[in-house]
Amino acid sequence: LPFQMEYRIRHKNGQVRHVCEYGRAICDNNGIPTHVDGMIFDITNRKQTEEKLMIAYKALEDEKTFFQSIINNIESSILITDLNMQIVWANQHSLSFYNKTVEDVVGRRLRDISPEICELIVGGIDSGEIDINACSLEQVPIGFTRFNLKGSDGTTIGNIINFKDLREIIAIRNHMRQQERISAMGGLIAGVAHEMRNPLFGMTSVGQILAMELQLNPAQKQLMESFQKEARRLNTLVEDLLETTRELRIRREKVSLLKIIETSIKANESFANEKKIKFT
């Protein structure tokens, strides 16, 4: 029977060479093998080339796995299409966004998966913020960008579409706008309160001086006391307004929990008595 085998030999110069041997057994008239007839080829160069190709292939696969791992784990959706807007690749985030599998997306037209993005790209718009339908029926605000997919010769062979859910970002924007409005309102309140404080201080001082220096009859004294009372009430209101505009600073300190409970019970004692509630 013919045979083929590969093995290594040591050359007379000390180098290790790879060889491939082809042969067959030669038999006599009785069918008994008498010798082997064959050829041996030096395949060292071929083996070295195969080893280099295997190393290069493994490096390429490692690089491919590395980049796919990054793309699949970034918090953005990525779709890749050809020039005819047919989807050829989708990362895991985009599949989760639409609640679809690879089989549901790859090979389909972009218009079938995301008609809103497709319409803008076909219209020449490569970036923007729009509302699209995700896996649920609700409209989801997204920001998208489109880039040209280049081939090895530098020509455009498709589109890279990147989009991200903007709901969290929009919520942060709205919160910042609200904080800005509150800050502006606080500044206005502080300005008004300061403007009120100065004339109020003068009015209160004048009232006190008049109360001490003038001989007032009982009716006039009552009016003056009412004036001073209302002035103090207005001053308290101004202080409260200014307090709301000051930065809130929390100071930790030890307090008596029993005292807080007793104060709370005392404050609500009349309401408890009305409903015949007894604290124990």
Side-chain angles (χ1 to χ4, degrees):
L1 295 175
F3 67 89
Q4 175 186 343
M5 59 189 304
E6 294 182 6
Y7 53 91
R8 291 176 298 176
I9 61 173
R10 186 174 296 279
H11 195 273
K12 63 181 180 181
N13 60 12
Q15 293 181 345
V16 175
R17 310 294 293 183
H18 291 268
V19 297
C20 181
E21 181 179 346
Y22 299 89
R24 62 189 180 91
I26 304 300
C27 302
D28 59 16
N29 294 331
N30 297 320
I32 298 174
T34 58
H35 62 280
V36 174
D37 183 21
M39 295 177 290
I40 298 177
F41 297 93
D42 188 339
I43 58 171
T44 303
N45 291 337
R46 192 193 80 186
K47 279 291 185 181
Q48 290 175 348
T49 302
E50 288 177 352
E51 289 176 1
K52 289 179 181 179
L53 287 174
M54 285 298 298
I55 293 172
Y57 177 77
K58 186 178 183 305
L60 185 62
E61 284 296 305
D62 290 343
E63 186 177 0
K64 180 181 176 181
T65 302
F66 174 73
F67 284 109
Q68 282 188 344
S69 176
I70 293 175
I71 293 173
N72 277 322
N73 287 284
I74 61 176
E75 292 297 318
S76 291
S77 299
I78 298 176
L79 296 174
I80 297 179
T81 74
D82 59 17
L83 293 176
N84 295 319
M85 288 298 178
Q86 185 172 344
I87 300 172
V88 297
W89 190 85
N91 75 334
Q92 186 58 48
H93 200 272
S94 64
L95 298 176
S96 300
F97 183 82
Y98 287 108
N99 193 25
K100 293 183 181 296
T101 63
V102 175
E103 292 76 17
D104 296 331
V105 174
V106 174
R108 299 277 301 279
R109 296 279 185 178
L110 178 63
R111 189 178 299 278
D112 298 332
I113 303 300
S114 184
E116 302 90 349
I117 294 178
C118 184
E119 183 177 348
L120 291 177
I121 293 176
V122 172
I125 300 175
D126 291 335
S127 64
E129 295 183 6
I130 57 172
D131 292 336
I132 66 174
N133 288 315
C135 56
S136 61
L137 296 177
E138 65 173 323
Q139 291 278 311
V140 177
I142 60 116
F144 86 96
T145 52
R146 186 207 69 85
F147 306 95
N148 289 331
L149 176 65
K150 301 288 187 178
S152 57
D153 58 354
T155 59
T156 301
I157 60 174
N159 305 281
I160 302 173
I161 302 164
N162 175 32
F163 60 95
K164 185 175 179 63
D165 188 334
L166 296 182
R167 282 177 290 188
E168 184 176 347
I169 295 175
I170 289 176
I172 294 173
R173 288 178 187 168
N174 293 335
H175 178 70
M176 291 178 65
R177 292 194 189 102
Q178 184 179 9
Q179 291 298 108
E180 289 172 359
R181 286 196 295 268
I182 292 174
S183 178
M185 188 180 297
L188 177 62
I189 291 173
V192 171
H194 278 294
E195 290 299 321
M196 291 174 60
R197 174 185 270 181
N198 294 331
L200 182 61
F201 176 76
M203 291 166 59
T204 306
S205 300
V206 170
Q208 290 174 346
I209 292 171
L210 291 176
M212 289 185 297
E213 294 185 356
L214 296 180
Q215 296 295 325
L216 304 176
N217 58 42
Q220 291 172 335
K221 284 184 178 180
Q222 187 176 0
L223 287 173
M224 184 60 71
E225 289 174 359
S226 178
F227 171 79
Q228 295 283 16
K229 180 181 178 181
E230 292 302 316
R232 287 193 296 271
R233 189 168 72 87
L234 189 58
N235 186 64
T236 300
L237 177 61
V238 170
E239 289 296 331
D240 289 343
L241 286 173
L242 288 173
E243 187 65 29
T244 61
T245 63
R246 295 189 181 103
E247 182 182 356
L248 178 63
R249 293 184 180 180
I250 299 175
R251 186 179 67 243
R252 282 184 164 187
E253 60 181 27
K254 291 184 178 181
V255 297
S256 170
L257 184 60
L258 181 60
K259 186 175 180 180
I260 292 174
I261 295 173
E262 289 175 344
T263 303
S264 178
I265 292 175
K266 187 174 181 181
N268 292 278
E269 191 173 12
S270 59
F271 302 105
N273 291 336
E274 288 178 7
K275 297 185 177 293
K276 298 180 181 180
I277 297 174
K278 181 184 288 186
F279 292 104
T280 303

